[in-house]
Amino acid sequence: MGFSYSCNDHAPEIVFFDLETTVPKRVGDRFWVLEFGAIVVTPHKLNEVESYTTLIKPKDLSVVALKSSRSDGITRKAVENAPSFEDVADRIFGILNGRVWAGHNIQRFDCLRIKEAFDYINRPPPLPVGIIDSLRVLTEKFGRRAGNMKMASLASYFGIGQQKHRSLDDVRMNLEVVKHCATVLFLESSLPNMFESKWYESPSIMTRSRSNGKSPWKEETSRKSPPTTLGNRRTVPYARGSLGKVTERVKGLLCKAQGQPPLQQLLKHSHSLLR
């Protein structure tokens, strides 16, 4: 007798999104969105089916630096002829509303900035049907074996490349990081005696939500990336950057269970290694 295997064809799509913003210089100053980027992926195969990115001109151009410290950073000249947020609000609403939102540290930064931007133009903000914050999920499941949990550190750990700090590039990197972490967890849980994880989270290393004892939805007021505090490091038992082929084999795990956010479900299949 063969096995029957089916996925929920009506599962919501997942949208990975990222914002580039100004950084307030004084208490009370607001964040201005300078760039929005997003990709929409299918929930069971993670195929990219849609993408959108745009630079955004803030109401006050003086808040944007004349020069950027990064070679491909956003400058005042880059956004001076860009559309305003109001001009692109319909497109952003359409790509976000009613989907699962995914991204790195989005619960404490990007989600809040989206709401602020829509509030500013007196429009109702888009709403997600679920949220997958890869910072929280990977801190819990993958741990700080790659050092801090910045996207740049995770990408370097797997040999994916250098983070560009541009929205569309960063969301695609975000998805690749999640795939690689999930693959490592899957392999380790498949052969726990051979690939037994020696990593553990030191009691002295805390995530932001644990350290302040408050809700993980607390606003991030000064930066998007997590702190640079380093935890214990551990080398995986296979070469960095060599997991791309294996990644494709584990995508089917997303269909194993229904009713949960798909990427979290993939990681859940490997939960035993950290117990």
Side-chain angles (χ1 to χ4, degrees):
M1 177 181 295
F3 291 97
S4 61
Y5 192 71
S6 63
C7 299
N8 180 5
D9 293 333
H10 302 293
E13 292 174 319
I14 305 167
V15 53
F16 281 79
F17 76 99
D18 178 73
L19 304 176
E20 296 297 325
T21 73
T22 59
V23 177
K25 295 180 179 180
R26 296 180 298 273
V27 175
D29 287 353
R30 60 166 292 165
F31 290 87
W32 290 94
V33 178
L34 301 180
E35 187 176 45
F36 174 88
I39 59 172
V40 179
V41 299
T42 57
H44 302 308
K45 295 185 178 181
L46 303 183
N47 294 327
E48 183 178 323
V49 295
E50 184 181 354
S51 67
Y52 175 67
T53 187
T54 182
L55 289 169
I56 296 171
K57 178 182 178 180
K59 185 176 181 179
D60 180 6
L61 264 179
S62 68
V63 300
V64 187
L66 289 171
K67 295 183 179 180
S68 173
S69 59
R70 303 187 183 103
S71 60
D72 54 355
I74 299 173
T75 63
R76 189 178 301 176
K77 183 175 179 60
V79 299
E80 64 182 3
N81 294 317
S84 68
F85 187 84
E86 191 168 12
D87 292 333
V88 297
D90 285 342
R91 185 73 174 88
I92 292 174
F93 185 94
I95 204 168
L96 291 177
N97 194 53
R99 287 179 166 133
V100 174
W101 292 4
H104 205 65
N105 201 28
I106 60 172
Q107 284 185 294
R108 299 180 69 172
F109 190 84
D110 302 77
C111 294
L112 296 168
R113 304 288 84 81
I114 285 291
K115 184 178 186 305
E116 287 174 357
F118 275 88
D119 287 346
Y120 187 77
I121 62 172
N122 296 313
R123 293 271 303 271
L127 297 175
V129 295
I131 296 176
I132 302 170
D133 192 323
S134 58
L135 173 61
R136 296 185 64 201
V137 174
L138 297 183
T139 298
E140 177 186 351
K141 299 296 184 182
F142 189 74
R144 294 179 182 269
R145 63 178 88 185
N148 61 38
M149 296 305 290
K150 288 186 177 182
M151 183 58 58
S153 300
L154 290 163
S156 176
Y157 181 74
F158 287 112
I160 295 174
Q162 184 175 3
Q163 185 181 11
K164 295 184 178 180
H165 296 281
R166 296 301 298 267
S167 295
L168 194 59
D169 292 315
D170 285 2
V171 292
R172 287 180 172 140
M173 175 173 280
N174 194 169
L175 177 57
E176 289 305 308
V177 163
V178 171
K179 288 179 181 178
H180 279 66
C181 290
T183 300
V184 170
L185 295 176
F186 172 69
L187 293 175
E188 289 178 340
S189 65
S190 298
L191 295 171
N193 294 330
M194 182 177 298
F195 295 149
E196 181 181 2
S197 175
K198 301 299 182 184
W199 175 91
Y200 63 94
E201 185 171 8
S202 167
S204 64
I205 304 299
M206 294 186 179
T207 61
R208 289 173 296 177
S209 58
R210 288 171 54 190
S211 63
N212 60 29
K214 297 180 181 180
S215 167
W217 286 87
K218 178 186 175 183
E219 179 172 358
E220 186 69 28
T221 58
S222 62
R223 64 189 175 203
K224 179 173 180 177
S225 300
T228 56
T229 305
L230 296 178
N232 296 331
R233 291 173 180 258
R234 169 185 170 272
T235 302
V236 294
Y238 16 79
R240 299 179 184 181
S242 64
L243 298 170
K245 294 181 179 179
V246 184
T247 298
E248 296 300 321
R249 301 177 187 174
V250 301
K251 287 182 181 178
L253 287 175
L254 291 168
C255 305
K256 287 288 186 181
Q258 301 173 14
Q260 298 189 26
L263 294 181
Q264 287 182 334
Q265 186 57 37
L266 174 57
L267 294 171
K268 181 178 178 181
H269 282 288
S270 305
H271 71 282
S272 59
L273 85 158
L274 293 179
R275 288 185 172 180

